Amino acid sequence: MATKYIFVTGGVTSSLGKGIISASLAKLLQARGFSVTIQKFDPYINIDPGTLNPYEHGECYVTEDGAETDLDLGHYERFLNVPTSQANNVTTGRIYYNVIMQEREGAYLGKTVQVIPHITDEIKRRMLLLGESGEYDIVITEIGGCVGDIESLPFIEAVRQLRWELGVHESCVIHLTLVPFLKAAGELKTKPTQHSVRDLSEAGVQPDILVCRSEYPIPSDLRKKIALFCNVKINSVIESLDADTIYDVPLLMRKEKLDERVISKLKLPHRADPNLDSWKEFLGRLKNPTSEVNIALVGKYVELPDAYKSIVEAFVHAGSANECKVNIKWFQSENITDDNVAGLLKDMDGVLVAPGFGERGFKGKLEAIRFVRENNIPFMGICLGMQCAAVEFARNVLGLEGAASTEMDAETQHPVIDMMEDQKQITQKGGTMRLGAYTCELKKGSKAYSIYGKSKISERHRHRYEFNNKYLAAFEQAGMMATGINPDTGLVEVIELQNHPWFVAAQYHPELKSTVLNPHPLFVKFVKAASNYRKS
């Protein structure tokens, strides 16, 4: 069977949930036995989101092969339980960069390089790349931004050309719109959807299926009206209501028969009904917890929860595994001081100090860690959180005054966290950190070993600074053990505190590998430790 292509576009407004709809559809098709992948095309000019402030675009998601990508790729992996790669996220910046590099090499033989055909050809090449690998029956392409925006025009044009080239039943376009409810008039309005579909049609792309986001059910007369004005069949007008959790969406889309409409449009072989048993079990545990815990998330971007999207979702997976409701309490690390830390954290069953870059909020993170270390509250540190745990220990236990990371204080007498040697020569910021999956050896008998249940693990990284091994002997003598080490470089990956019920910090990002069907063991055991702490 030749690979089939599904394009997902959005209109009216951004943030309607194209990523969740794409991931949900992919899940339903996967549950029917098709092999599916999803790719995201982003219309911004950054080559990747690696240098973007999390407030701009939420977290930066890192793949196994070290690509810094859009947070939607996190949803794809969490839903499908299949890793994505560099090829699954493409930006306008990347497309233009490739074309300009080819132009400099003389690849266009003196031709004038233009948006059509050169930019659109490169977009089409990237759209087909994963399909041509032979690994997938279906490739879903989500196009970021809104139809009608100047920046997404070349992508829509590429879709128009591709549909023509691929043939009638080889591709399908799903357009996501909003059907708002006007309180004053007391009714749902279809006009924004009509305008959005008109914009898409003017660009030469007629959608096959409309997914209408709404806060209220869309009655059948309105569905008829939308179908009539937008040239789609009435059974291809799909209602997408707000859900309690994003993990409900595959089941809601199944009820609306989204997967069946796609199968019929693409003339796919009818395989068995989707097997969603394990998904439903996960939801059952998630919605019927037998206990709850309060976990503090201490970070510097807490005003935008999307900045820590993967961590939040890893807690959802771990909560379900423990049949425990995880209440995340957000703490801006800038606001935590020696005077208020006890009052802020006293009712917490566990504290996670989040990753981040830069000096802002650093002191507050150290105060939070000192409090949980001294009061035996379960603690987990991720990336910068692990580095903070090392700095706090150096200052308050080893008595190394002014100990710091050279990221925060280049002149420190005690650089317990220092820039990696191979990073010191680098001047470019984008895509130059230690990125992607690296192996780690866990020491037998350690807490980390018992959490993972094995000695060799692979986890994803995104950092420039590392634990300075000159201080390792002093740390271990005082009870802070390095229990995870990179076998090739000797870099410290995991530290844990002896004589503490649960104090584990990792240089890598465990949250990036947590999925619905494979919740991450570190999060599962952390939630369990928090639950035990609460009971005691």
Side-chain angles (χ1 to χ4, degrees):
M1 178 178 108
T3 304
K4 308 272 188 175
Y5 295 89
I6 299 169
F7 300 99
V8 180
T9 57
V12 186
T13 161
S14 58
S15 303
L16 286 182
K18 291 191 295 290
I20 303 296
I21 291 292
S22 301
S24 299
L25 172 60
K27 181 76 218 168
L28 292 173
L29 293 168
Q30 185 193 52
R32 284 174 178 271
F34 295 103
S35 65
V36 191
T37 190
I38 319 177
Q39 50 189 1
K40 172 91 187 267
F41 279 62
D42 267 315
Y44 51 77
I45 295 176
N46 304 59
I47 287 197
D48 59 43
T51 54
L52 287 176
N53 183 326
Y55 284 131
E56 287 277 323
H57 220 72
E59 80 172 0
C60 172
Y61 187 82
V62 180
T63 58
E64 286 285 292
D65 62 353
E68 292 177 291
T69 67
D70 185 79
L71 62 77
D72 274 332
L73 270 74
H75 291 311
Y76 307 162
E77 291 201 10
R78 287 188 280 274
F79 276 61
L80 293 179
N81 207 23
V82 176
T84 53
S85 71
Q86 186 89 46
N88 293 71
N89 192 194
V90 182
T91 66
T92 292
R94 170 69 62 197
I95 297 288
Y96 273 82
Y97 180 80
N98 289 357
V99 170
I100 288 166
M101 293 312 278
Q102 284 177 292
E103 184 272 333
R104 292 288 82 185
E105 286 164 15
Y108 298 114
L109 301 172
K111 284 258 189 288
T112 307
V113 180
Q114 294 176 293
V115 174
I116 302 172
H118 302 103
I119 295 296
T120 49
D121 280 355
E122 177 64 12
I123 293 172
K124 287 191 296 186
R125 185 185 75 79
R126 292 301 300 248
M127 283 177 170
L128 297 173
L129 203 58
L130 284 166
E132 285 162 355
S133 69
E135 287 175 47
Y136 305 104
D137 303 320
I138 301 159
V139 175
I140 299 177
T141 302
E142 178 196 341
I143 292 174
C146 252
V147 167
D149 294 350
I150 287 175
E151 50 255 38
S152 54
L153 277 174
F155 293 109
I156 303 296
E157 169 59 20
V159 172
R160 182 193 72 77
Q161 293 178 23
L162 263 186
R163 298 201 78 192
W164 186 246
E165 290 161 19
L166 288 167
V168 179
H169 298 297
E170 304 309 304
S171 73
C172 160
V173 172
I174 298 172
H175 188 54
L176 203 63
T177 73
L178 179 67
V179 178
F181 181 80
L182 289 192
K183 270 206 180 115
E187 58 183 353
L188 289 163
K189 288 293 181 189
T190 65
K191 195 58 80 183
T193 295
Q194 294 175 41
H195 282 307
S196 179
V197 172
R198 188 187 65 195
D199 284 349
L200 190 56
S201 303
E202 276 179 0
V205 176
Q206 167 63 39
D208 301 297
I209 297 169
L210 294 180
V211 175
C212 302
R213 291 283 285 114
S214 174
E215 293 173 11
Y216 298 92
I218 303 171
S220 65
D221 60 325
L222 272 195
R223 291 197 196 209
K224 275 185 189 149
K225 184 177 176 183
I226 291 170
L228 177 69
F229 280 102
C230 298
N231 284 353
V232 296
K233 291 181 173 158
I234 183 157
N235 60 3
S236 292
V237 178
I238 305 269
E239 160 191 287
S240 172
L241 298 173
D242 294 351
D244 296 338
T245 157
I246 55 172
Y247 301 108
D248 278 334
V249 179
L251 301 181
L252 296 173
M253 290 300 103
R254 170 86 185 101
K255 200 169 148 206
E256 282 284 300
K257 300 191 163 73
L258 174 62
D259 51 334
E260 290 178 32
R261 302 309 315 145
V262 166
I263 284 169
S264 128
K265 167 72 182 86
L266 294 176
K267 295 266 189 287
L268 284 162
H270 255 290
R271 298 196 179 166
D273 278 349
N275 176 3
L276 294 163
D277 294 347
S278 51
W279 194 270
K280 287 173 181 163
E281 281 165 26
F282 160 80
L283 276 172
R285 290 192 306 271
L286 182 65
K287 292 181 173 185
N288 302 291
T290 54
S291 60
E292 62 178 308
V293 292
N294 295 324
I295 288 183
L297 194 152
V298 178
K300 61 185 270 198
Y301 307 114
V302 294
E303 293 79 8
L304 182 76
D306 266 7
Y308 302 114
K309 191 70 188 162
S310 293
I311 292 176
V312 173
E313 298 308 324
F315 275 127
V316 174
H317 310 153
S320 170
N322 283 292
E323 294 186 26
C324 173
K325 181 172 193 275
V326 178
N327 304 312
I328 296 179
K329 309 287 182 189
W330 302 85
F331 290 92
Q332 170 55 263
S333 54
E334 274 187 294
N335 301 338
I336 298 177
T337 64
D338 181 26
D339 301 329
N340 67 12
V341 65
L344 290 174
L345 299 181
K346 68 175 190 304
D347 297 328
M348 295 295 129
D349 307 309
V351 173
L352 181 140
V353 173
F357 295 93
E359 197 179 350
R360 184 168 70 81
F362 186 67
K363 288 194 177 77
K365 289 181 176 178
L366 300 185
E367 287 302 338
I369 293 167
R370 182 182 60 77
F371 181 78
V372 296
R373 178 178 58 75
E374 290 174 353
N375 291 282
N376 287 334
I377 298 167
F379 165 77
M380 180 165 163
I382 297 178
C383 203
L384 181 63
M386 174 266 208
Q387 298 176 359
C388 289
V391 171
E392 189 278 330
F393 192 80
R395 286 184 187 182
N396 299 326
V397 178
L398 300 179
L400 301 175
E401 205 175 315
S405 162
T406 50
E407 180 182 7
M408 316 305 165
D409 177 5
E411 305 301 315
T412 176
Q413 297 289 302
H414 298 291
V416 289
I417 304 293
D418 198 5
M419 190 178 265
M420 300 182 194
E421 279 309 314
D422 57 357
Q423 287 285 330
K424 289 181 179 171
Q425 313 310 317
I426 290 172
T427 52
Q428 259 192 313
K429 286 270 191 285
T432 55
M433 282 184 271
R434 181 173 189 237
L435 290 164
Y438 288 87
T439 52
C440 168
E441 298 270 355
L442 301 176
K443 290 191 177 154
K444 292 204 164 129
S446 67
K447 187 163 251 111
Y449 179 80
S450 72
I451 289 166
Y452 281 93
K454 54 185 179 184
S455 58
K456 197 167 189 187
I457 59 167
S458 165
E459 292 282 4
R460 298 183 198 174
H461 291 252
R462 183 173 184 246
H463 61 104
R464 286 183 206 284
Y465 295 81
E466 53 158 325
F467 184 85
N468 186 342
N469 283 344
K470 288 177 194 157
Y471 293 90
L472 189 53
F475 265 72
E476 297 209 315
Q477 218 169 345
M480 179 73 86
M481 313 308 286
T483 56
I485 303 281
N486 178 294
D488 305 320
T489 57
L491 291 186
V492 173
E493 300 275 21
V494 184
I495 58 174
E496 60 186 67
L497 191 55
Q498 289 183 314
N499 308 325
H500 186 288
W502 213 94
F503 189 106
V504 181
Q507 178 58 74
Y508 49 77
H509 289 263
E511 73 275 18
L512 299 177
K513 289 186 78 158
S514 187
T515 69
V516 168
L517 299 181
N518 272 330
H520 197 285
L522 261 176
F523 280 87
V524 173
K525 294 295 197 294
F526 179 47
V527 170
K528 188 159 179 49
S531 180
N532 292 341
Y533 175 82
R534 189 183 179 104
K535 286 174 193 155
S536 68

